[in-house]
Amino acid sequence: MSNPDLKFDLVIATPYSRLGLTFEADLLSGVEYLMPDSPLIISARPEVINVSQQISCYFNDASYQFDVAMQLKGTDFQHRVWNEMRQIPAGQVKTYGEIAGILHSSPRAVGNACRANPIPLLIPCHRIVSANGLGGFSGATSGYYTDIKRKLLQHEGLDF
């Protein structure tokens, strides 16, 4: 049986989970929230170390602004949603409906684009919430992933 964590160029520990990072050449192309017991993977590649250091900076200071070169694959609409997410400062949220209004779309379509976000945390889909509360995270509406979303928002000074 193969180890699914081997697909990552780096797996780091964060206060709330492990993060698996993938790169295409020198560009960050994927971030996945993993279980806390996922094995760590280290790398000596400078671009990988840079991203790891920036993630550490975020967990030391929620207002840290990421400056990471990314390879984003998605539809034009998904890119528009992800660009809107990147405009939301730490400590603030918008609802799926607010983003839908900006993009002349539907909240469900925005939620689907959030779920397809290839680089969560750096493209802060955790800052998109439901009109009635927390909303989903990584395709889940309860459990481990929504607990991570709640903790990220608490880290940024919000209580959900």
Side-chain angles (χ1 to χ4, degrees):
M1 181 174 199
S2 66
N3 182 345
D5 296 329
L6 293 179
K7 70 180 184 175
F8 299 109
D9 295 293
L10 178 74
V11 174
I12 60 172
T14 75
Y16 315 123
S17 71
R18 299 277 167 105
L19 286 179
L21 286 74
T22 54
F23 288 78
E24 289 187 22
D26 296 343
L27 304 175
L28 180 65
S29 61
V31 172
E32 289 185 39
Y33 289 96
L34 305 173
M35 293 294 142
D37 61 350
S38 296
L40 298 173
I41 298 174
I42 60 172
S43 173
R45 292 171 47 195
E47 66 277 7
V48 176
I49 293 169
N50 174 49
V51 173
S52 177
Q53 290 171 338
Q54 289 194 48
I55 291 170
S56 292
C57 288
Y58 167 79
F59 282 109
N60 288 324
D61 176 5
S63 65
Y64 180 80
Q65 299 286 317
F66 291 103
D67 182 19
V68 173
M70 300 178 199
Q71 173 65 43
L72 297 173
K73 294 180 182 175
T75 66
D76 288 340
F77 177 74
Q78 289 169 336
H79 280 270
R80 290 173 45 217
V81 172
W82 301 337
N83 286 333
E84 287 298 322
M85 284 189 248
R86 293 174 83 181
Q87 304 307 311
I88 304 169
Q92 296 182 29
V93 295
K94 287 192 177 182
T95 66
Y96 298 100
E98 288 174 317
I99 299 295
I102 292 167
L103 300 177
H104 307 289
S105 184
S106 72
R108 182 173 300 236
V110 170
N112 287 336
C114 288
R115 183 173 21 261
N117 176 8
I119 305 180
L121 186 62
L122 285 79
I123 299 176
C125 52
H126 62 276
R127 296 180 189 150
I128 307 293
V129 297
S130 164
N132 301 318
L134 185 65
F137 193 57
S138 293
T141 57
S142 65
Y144 178 70
Y145 293 107
T146 56
D147 289 346
I148 291 171
K149 180 176 182 173
R150 185 175 287 107
K151 290 174 184 176
L152 290 170
L153 292 172
Q154 288 170 347
H155 173 63
E156 296 181 3
L158 300 170
D159 196 21
F160 273 86

